[in-house]
Amino acid sequence: MPDFPDTRPVAVETHGIEKSFGDGAAKLLVLKQVSLTVCKGEILMLVGPSGCGKTTLLSIIGGTLRPDCGEVTAFGQPLHRMRSSELTRFRAGHIGFIFQQFNLIPTISCAENVAVPLLIAGVRSSVAIRKARETLGLVGLADRAKDRPGFLSGGQQQRVAIARALVHEPPMVICDEPTAALDASNGEIVMNLLAGVARSGDRAVMVVTHDNRIFSYADRIARMDDGRIIEVRDAAAGHGRHFLHELPH
Amino acid sequence: MFRLAIQMLFGDIAKYLMLVVGLFFATFLIVQQASVFCGLMRWTTSTLRNVPAPIWVVEEQVEQVNETNPLRDTDVGRVRSVSGVAWAMPLYSGIQRVRLDDGSFKTVQLIGIDAASLAGAPPRMLEGNLESLRLPNTVVIDELATARLSPVKGGRLKIGDQFEINDIEARVVGICDADRSFTGGPYVWTIYERALQYSPPQRKMLSAVIAGPVAGVEPLEAAREIQRVTGLRAYVTGKSGGDDENFAWSTIWWYVRNTGIPISFGTTVIVGFIVGVAIACQTFYAFVLDNLRYLGALKAMGMSTWRLSAMLMVQALTVGCIGFGLGLFATAGFARAALENKQPPFFMPAVVPAGAFAVIIIICFLAAMLGIWRIARYEPAMVFRA
């Protein structure tokens, strides 16, 4: 499987991953021998038609799903061998999640939403809220800390979600269609933030997207089809622009 | 995280209120009905509190205080002769009809007590002098009787007023405080000999012998000795003795066994439980489903199923405590009205709210378990597919 060699340190590595859903005649093989490397400090975008296995691969790399076979090593830890409780701890400490629909809890303030990963990690509430306010400042929403998410625009809500994904300083951020619910300008703001996250924090950022407007932010783009990675191109070397035109819009 | 759980709960006002209302109704139904049942059972033993005596000696087949199988007059002497018995006095207890000035009749619970000792007299006089009972044709009545036996609607009998029992004059010389009887009739005290005059003659008229033990002897011990020596049934009152030796418990169990009262009240209590379970489980499950994407996101972000379960348990127990508190408050309002009006019967021993709280906790636990079952089956990866 083509995968660009990279001089940057490896964050996540998968080898020969397979994943199927259902049983018997209804069994559907979603991932077929997928191997992929995600490096620190890069934005890797997973693209491809609906149902090609992007989100399944993202879930496995994020430790929310187990592969049927193959190996997943993230930050030196073999996720495929971990027990459920170990995976839960791994996610809490290593992964920041950004969801398409934000999934901000509507009944609590933005600062409290951002503080959730710290509370999960066992940080005291007052400390967590203080840190959450600081992180909201980094995404330009310090003045909305006390507001509930419902009072914010879609773009602002996604920025709150980014703050939530970063507040506990995870080495990897996983994004599922982060700009799908946003207009062009808000999508640009969000992607600039994520690019900054990848570069300044030396974090691995993995983005599943259909949104061709944001391909220019990728360092590498992995194209999937029918459960396989059929191509990985180095966007920073100019392949990305070309690749952009090849993808189905 | 528990604060987060509470905020999520209070944030969904509609479901929160629905849960509280369901548990409120369950609590109210359970506590109110159980308390009315306890009050009714307490009414069955009112005579024991209105006619205080450590030991009641009755005919050997008698199981409850409202049942009268007359004894022979000589049985008073037989009881007195038992070692360990300090005193024993005759007692008449029966339902008689009072004729009012307007010609109407009312039933009363007539109590005849020993004239010399006045053993079995009401414990608390409100007006008048108990010793005036020794005067001819005199009675002491309870507060209910002042209204019930008044010839004027809305009026009250006073000391010095008169009525007739079996065409014999009865003049009120005292008013006392007394528990209401199970039959609903007011209590009227007089001396034993006059009670026999007020009542239609029968071959045997002695309803019971009330007795007390000598100093240093427990009532239960004396009662067992009376039973052994005389062959009569001797019960103790108060808190001593088992169910078949304590007259109050023996009376209550007789009503439980021989009437449909427990089934009627028990059915309502079960309905309360079912209402609570149905509303709480259905609403809480809907609440969990509505919040599934957020709970799933928390799970994806590294919150363990145990902590999520604890959050759901905290939410369920919070609405349980609030619903229970409101239900108990409403029951207290009902109780206040019931106690002021002296009906319906209401008695809430500590075991009733404690038991109801346990039931509400069980309901909340069941509701939380439904949610926990759902969230435990929720794969964190599913949050990406929402």
Side-chain angles (χ1 to χ4, degrees):
Chain A
M1 197 55 48
D3 191 357
F4 279 85
D6 202 302
T7 54
R8 283 176 287 206
V10 172
V12 181
E13 220 170 358
T14 69
H15 285 293
I17 284 183
E18 290 201 353
K19 180 70 185 174
S20 60
F21 294 106
D23 287 313
K27 188 171 180 176
L28 183 66
L29 193 57
V30 178
L31 293 181
K32 300 164 186 170
Q33 291 292 316
V34 173
S35 298
L36 183 69
T37 303
V38 187
C39 297
K40 292 180 182 174
E42 76 163 348
I43 295 182
L44 174 78
M45 289 191 186
L46 264 182
V47 300
S50 296
C52 70
K54 303 185 296 292
T55 301
T56 303
L57 180 58
L58 187 81
S59 301
I60 288 172
I61 289 174
T64 61
L65 199 63
R66 289 171 183 283
D68 293 342
C69 64
E71 295 179 359
V72 189
T73 307
F75 307 99
Q77 299 184 51
L79 302 193
H80 57 285
R81 286 205 209 114
M82 284 185 180
R83 287 177 305 181
S84 179
S85 57
E86 291 170 328
L87 271 178
T88 301
R89 277 196 296 276
F90 171 82
R91 291 198 302 270
H94 291 81
I95 310 288
F97 289 92
I98 297 171
F99 306 101
Q100 180 179 346
Q101 295 300 327
F102 325 133
N103 286 353
L104 298 171
I105 299 169
T107 53
I108 60 177
S109 71
C110 292
E112 287 165 333
N113 264 291
V114 173
V116 163
L118 294 172
L119 297 174
I120 290 172
V123 175
R124 267 180 42 216
S125 178
S126 56
V127 177
I129 292 290
R130 194 169 60 237
K131 184 81 192 295
R133 288 208 175 104
E134 289 169 14
T135 314
L136 274 172
L138 297 178
V139 297
L141 290 172
D143 57 331
R144 308 305 297 269
K146 288 183 179 172
D147 291 336
R148 290 190 178 188
F151 294 106
L152 274 59
S153 68
Q156 288 173 322
Q157 289 188 49
Q158 194 60 298
R159 280 150 68 190
V160 174
I162 290 171
R164 182 178 65 181
L166 300 178
V167 71
H168 56 312
E169 298 174 7
M172 182 167 192
V173 177
I174 277 178
C175 315
D176 181 37
E177 305 275 11
T179 57
L182 306 178
D183 59 27
S185 62
N186 275 312
E188 202 172 313
I189 292 169
V190 164
M191 285 315 299
N192 278 325
L193 277 169
L194 287 175
V197 165
R199 267 113 217 182
S200 64
D202 204 25
R203 292 188 180 95
V205 176
M206 194 169 172
V207 180
V208 162
T209 186
H210 279 102
D211 187 354
N212 56 18
R213 297 171 301 181
I214 66 169
F215 289 165
S216 58
Y217 291 91
D219 293 302
R220 288 189 299 148
I221 298 176
R223 185 176 170 190
M224 289 187 73
D225 195 14
D226 191 26
R228 291 186 174 85
I229 291 182
I230 54 172
E231 195 173 21
V232 180
R233 291 196 185 181
D234 188 347
H239 298 290
R241 301 274 173 208
H242 171 68
F243 189 61
L244 192 153
H245 299 295
E246 290 177 359
L247 287 168
H249 289 181
Chain B
M1 296 315 296
F2 293 151
R3 187 162 166 249
L4 173 64
I6 299 296
Q7 283 173 313
M8 285 177 78
L9 175 69
F10 290 166
D12 191 341
I13 292 288
K15 289 204 177 55
Y16 164 67
L17 288 179
M18 187 74 172
L19 280 165
V20 168
V21 166
L23 294 169
F24 160 80
F25 272 119
T27 304
F28 183 73
L29 279 176
I30 292 169
V31 177
Q32 188 258 7
Q33 287 294 299
S35 298
V36 170
F37 173 73
C38 291
L40 206 54
M41 290 299 103
R42 195 171 156 80
W43 273 9
T44 65
T45 59
S46 294
T47 302
L48 293 173
R49 287 182 299 282
N50 293 337
V51 184
I55 301 168
W56 282 62
V57 184
V58 289
E59 197 268 340
E60 61 182 347
Q61 298 299 324
V62 169
E63 291 179 77
Q64 52 111 345
V65 69
N66 301 309
E67 179 185 6
T68 306
N69 288 351
L71 304 170
R72 285 191 292 267
D73 287 342
T74 53
D75 286 333
V76 179
R78 292 176 66 208
V79 174
R80 278 180 187 149
S81 68
V82 174
S83 65
V85 173
W87 56 268
M89 302 296 168
L91 182 83
Y92 175 85
S93 175
I95 294 172
Q96 296 302 333
R97 292 204 308 168
V98 166
R99 196 173 73 125
L100 306 182
D101 277 357
D102 63 358
S104 64
F105 289 90
K106 300 279 184 188
T107 57
V108 296
Q109 184 73 38
L110 184 64
I111 303 290
I113 59 174
D114 176 62
S117 64
L118 297 179
R124 200 163 78 91
M125 291 294 290
L126 299 174
E127 288 178 51
N129 189 348
L130 189 61
E131 294 183 352
S132 300
L133 268 185
R134 295 188 182 111
L135 297 172
N137 295 340
T138 53
V139 292
V140 168
I141 60 174
D142 67 6
E143 266 198 308
L144 177 65
T146 61
R148 189 72 66 83
L149 303 183
S150 171
V152 184
K153 196 169 183 180
R156 301 186 82 82
L157 283 185
K158 302 182 298 295
I159 288 178
D161 287 346
Q162 296 180 5
F163 51 84
E164 286 179 5
I165 308 174
N166 270 341
D167 296 331
I168 302 171
E169 177 200 20
R171 186 161 51 88
V172 178
V173 293
I175 297 169
C176 67
D177 184 32
D179 282 7
R180 195 155 173 163
S181 76
F182 182 67
T183 54
Y187 279 88
V188 174
W189 275 262
T190 187
I191 59 169
Y192 180 73
E193 290 75 14
R194 198 174 306 125
L196 300 189
Q197 292 167 9
Y198 284 144
S199 308
Q202 288 178 314
R203 193 168 67 82
K204 293 190 285 185
M205 300 283 280
L206 178 65
S207 305
V209 178
I210 53 176
V214 294
V217 175
E218 289 296 316
L220 188 59
E221 201 181 323
R224 285 173 181 161
E225 185 64 8
I226 291 168
Q227 221 163 263
R228 192 185 66 79
V229 172
T230 64
L232 300 172
R233 191 74 183 261
Y235 289 101
V236 292
T237 57
K239 290 180 178 171
S240 62
D243 289 351
D244 56 344
E245 292 173 316
N246 184 294
F247 213 7
W249 281 114
S250 176
T251 300
I252 287 169
W253 280 116
W254 187 89
Y255 279 91
V256 168
R257 282 194 303 268
N258 295 287
T259 68
I261 297 170
I263 294 171
S264 169
F265 284 89
T267 304
T268 313
V269 168
I270 291 168
V271 166
F273 177 75
I274 292 169
V275 165
V277 167
I279 295 179
C281 289
Q282 195 271 337
T283 310
F284 197 75
Y285 190 65
F287 170 77
V288 169
L289 287 186
D290 282 357
N291 285 287
L292 202 54
R293 56 187 277 220
Y294 309 118
L295 297 170
L298 292 175
K299 203 169 180 180
M301 284 190 280
M303 186 176 282
S304 66
T305 305
W306 278 111
R307 282 181 89 177
L308 282 168
S309 302
M311 281 176 65
L312 295 183
M313 205 54 92
V314 164
Q315 289 170 336
L317 292 180
T318 300
V319 287
C321 289
I322 292 170
F324 176 78
L326 291 175
L328 207 57
F329 186 73
T331 312
F334 175 88
R336 186 179 170 152
L339 294 175
E340 275 175 5
N341 297 327
K342 306 264 186 184
Q343 64 175 346
F346 193 93
F347 178 61
M348 188 164 64
V351 70
V352 169
F357 185 67
V359 169
I360 295 300
I361 294 299
I362 290 169
I363 291 172
C364 293
F365 183 77
L366 290 175
M369 286 309 291
L370 265 183
I372 289 168
W373 172 76
R374 185 71 187 84
I375 199 69
R377 288 173 62 241
Y378 192 86
E379 288 286 340
M382 287 164 78
V383 76
F384 290 115
R385 301 178 189 280

